[in-house]
Amino acid sequence: MTVSPRMLDRIFLYAKLVRLDKPIGTLLLLWPTLWALWIAADGKPSGKLVFIFAFGTLLMRSAGCAINDYADRDFDKHVARTQHRPLTSGKISGTEVLSIAALLAVVAFLLVLQTNKLTVALSFPALFIAVSYPYTKRFFAIPQAYLGIAFGFGIPMAFAAQAGAVPLLAWALLLANIFWAVAYDTQYAMVDRDDDVKLGIHTSAILFGKHDVLAIMLCYAVTIGILALVGLRLRLSGAYYAGLAVAVGMAVYHYFLIRDRSRDGCFKAFRHNNWFGGAIFVGLFFHYLMKS
C-alpha cells in the first residue's frame, strides 16, 4: 500500500497535534504510575499491566493534548509559542481533533477492559478529569493542582489493577504528585505568563506572582516529604532514599534555572522534571531488586 504525500503530511500533523514529538508529558504521566505499580506489586508487577499502563499513558496523554488544543483554540492564536499548532493555524479542523481524541480514548478504554472492575470504574472519573482540565484555566486559580490529579490518576488505577484495592497509601502518592505537578507546571506557566495575563487565563504562575520561585521550591519540598513518609511506612531501603536524594539535587538545580525567571530557564527546568520522576522510580526499582 502506497501512502500519498498528502496523507503523509496529514499523519505528521496528527502526530504533532498529540505531541508525539514532545514525549515529556507522557513521561510525567508515566513515572508516578510506575511508582504505584511497583509498590502495589511489591516490586514484581505483572508484565501485562506494565504494558497496559505504559501504552495507556501514551494514549491518554495524546488524547488530552488534542482536547487541550480544542479547548484553547481561541487562546492559542494569541500566544507566540502555540499559534502555529495544527488546529490553531487552521491546518486541521476541530472535528478532526475531536475524532482523534475520541479514537485514542476508546483504544485506551479497550486496554482498561483487560483489567478488573475496580480499574474500569476508576477509568470514568479519570476520563472526566482529563477532558475537563483544559477548561479549569478559565475559572480555577491553580489549574496546575487539577492537572496533578489528571496526571496522577494512574496511581489509584495502578493499585486497583495490581492489588484489587486502593489503599490510603495510593492517595498519599497522588497528593505527592499534585504538589510535584504544581511545581513543574508553574515553571511551564512562567514561560507564557505575560500572554496569559493579557488573555485572562488563570495559572499558578500568575497567582503566586513574585513568590513563584518560593512556591515552586515549597511544592518540591512537600513532594519529597510525602514520598519520604511513604518510604518510612513501607520500610523501604537506602536505595529508595538515594533516589529521593538525587531528586532533591535536581530540585535545587531547577532553582538555579528559574531564579531569574527567564523563559529559557523555566522551560528547561520544566523539561528536566522527567529526570526528577525517573530518579524516584530508579530508587524504588533498585530497592525491590535488592530485596528479591
Side-chain angles (χ1 to χ4, degrees), residues 126-148:
L127 177 61
F128 172 79
I129 293 167
V131 170
S132 59
Y133 159 67
Y135 297 95
T136 61
K137 290 177 279 188
R138 291 156 172 76
F139 63 87
F140 187 32
I142 311 181
Q144 283 70 22
Y146 198 83
L147 177 71

Side-chain angles (χ1 to χ4, degrees), residues 183-204:
Y184 65 66
D185 208 56
T186 299
Q187 294 165 351
Y188 189 74
M190 288 166 72
V191 176
D192 296 329
R193 176 158 41 195
D194 293 342
D195 292 321
D196 290 341
V197 169
K198 294 175 184 177
L199 295 171
I201 294 175
H202 295 283
T203 73
S204 53

Side-chain angles (χ1 to χ4, degrees), residues 48-247:
K48 174 185 175 182
L49 289 180
V50 172
F51 170 78
I52 287 173
F53 278 93
F55 190 35
T57 292
L58 173 63
L59 291 170
M60 287 310 298
R61 187 261 177 163
S62 298
C65 287
I67 291 294
N68 184 79
D69 282 10
Y70 183 82
D72 289 350
R73 62 193 183 282
D74 293 328
F75 293 123
D76 284 349
K77 65 181 68 174
H78 302 291
V79 179
R81 186 179 56 80
T82 60
Q83 61 187 201
H84 298 297
R85 287 177 174 173
L87 176 60
T88 310
S89 61
K91 294 178 181 177
I92 59 177
S93 69
T95 301
E96 286 177 285
V97 170
L98 292 178
S99 297
I100 290 169
L103 176 61
L104 293 169
V106 167
V107 176
F109 185 65
L110 291 176
L111 286 175
V112 174
L113 289 177
Q114 308 308 309
T115 60
N116 56 32
K117 290 182 180 179
L118 179 57
T119 312
V120 172
L122 287 171
S123 71
F124 290 100
L127 177 61
F128 172 79
I129 293 167
V131 170
S132 59
Y133 159 67
Y135 297 95
T136 61
K137 290 177 279 188
R138 291 156 172 76
F139 63 87
F140 187 32
I142 311 181
Q144 283 70 22
Y146 198 83
L147 177 71
I149 300 174
F151 270 36
F153 216 78
I155 293 171
M157 290 181 68
F159 270 90
Q162 182 67 58
V166 185
L168 183 60
L169 186 70
W171 301 113
L173 285 173
L174 177 58
L175 182 62
N177 191 73
I178 291 171
F179 278 97
W180 180 33
V182 172
Y184 65 66
D185 208 56
T186 299
Q187 294 165 351
Y188 189 74
M190 288 166 72
V191 176
D192 296 329
R193 176 158 41 195
D194 293 342
D195 292 321
D196 290 341
V197 169
K198 294 175 184 177
L199 295 171
I201 294 175
H202 295 283
T203 73
S204 53
I206 295 172
L207 178 69
F208 296 148
K210 65 180 181 180
H211 304 296
D212 48 4
V213 174
L214 174 61
I216 288 170
M217 299 314 296
L218 287 175
C219 284
Y220 275 131
V222 174
T223 300
I224 293 295
I226 294 173
L227 292 175
L229 290 175
V230 167
L232 289 174
R233 174 68 179 80
L234 295 174
R235 297 183 180 179
L236 301 181
S237 67
Y240 172 70
Y241 290 100
L244 284 187
V246 172

Side-chain angles (χ1 to χ4, degrees), residues 239-267:
Y240 172 70
Y241 290 100
L244 284 187
V246 172
V248 169
M250 291 179 180
V252 172
Y253 171 58
H254 296 170
Y255 166 76
F256 288 101
L257 288 175
I258 67 175
R259 61 179 177 173
D260 63 355
R261 300 176 175 82
S262 70
R263 290 195 173 200
D264 288 344
C266 291
F267 192 62

